[in-house]
Amino acid sequence: MTADTYNCPICAEPINEGDLCLMDVDEGDCHARCLEGAPFVDLDIGDPLPDDAPKPEPYPWRGE
Ligand SMILES: [Zn+2]
């Protein structure tokens, strides 16, 4: 793995610039599609977000 390649910890595929990502509390940055269906958790405390809490927005990967 080189400095400018980051592999999704869920599917082990590279995350490419512009791919939508979400932060997983355990794994770090993952493809948003790989976290589909997973419960959203509070990244600070690791507890599931309540149903009425705002959900994190996927963000486009910028190669960081
Ligand atoms: Zn993935």
Side-chain angles (χ1 to χ4, degrees), residues 21-45:
C21 301
L22 280 171
M23 179 71 74
D24 181 83
V25 68
D26 293 321
E27 308 286 358
D29 293 297
C30 304
H31 294 120
R33 64 173 183 268
C34 291
L35 292 176
E36 254 175 47
F40 287 102
V41 298
D42 186 309
L43 293 176
D44 292 325
I45 58 176

Side-chain angles (χ1 to χ4, degrees), residues 8-13 15 30-31 33-34:
C8 171
I10 306 287
C11 68
E13 299 281 334
I15 299 181
C30 304
H31 294 120
R33 64 173 183 268
C34 291

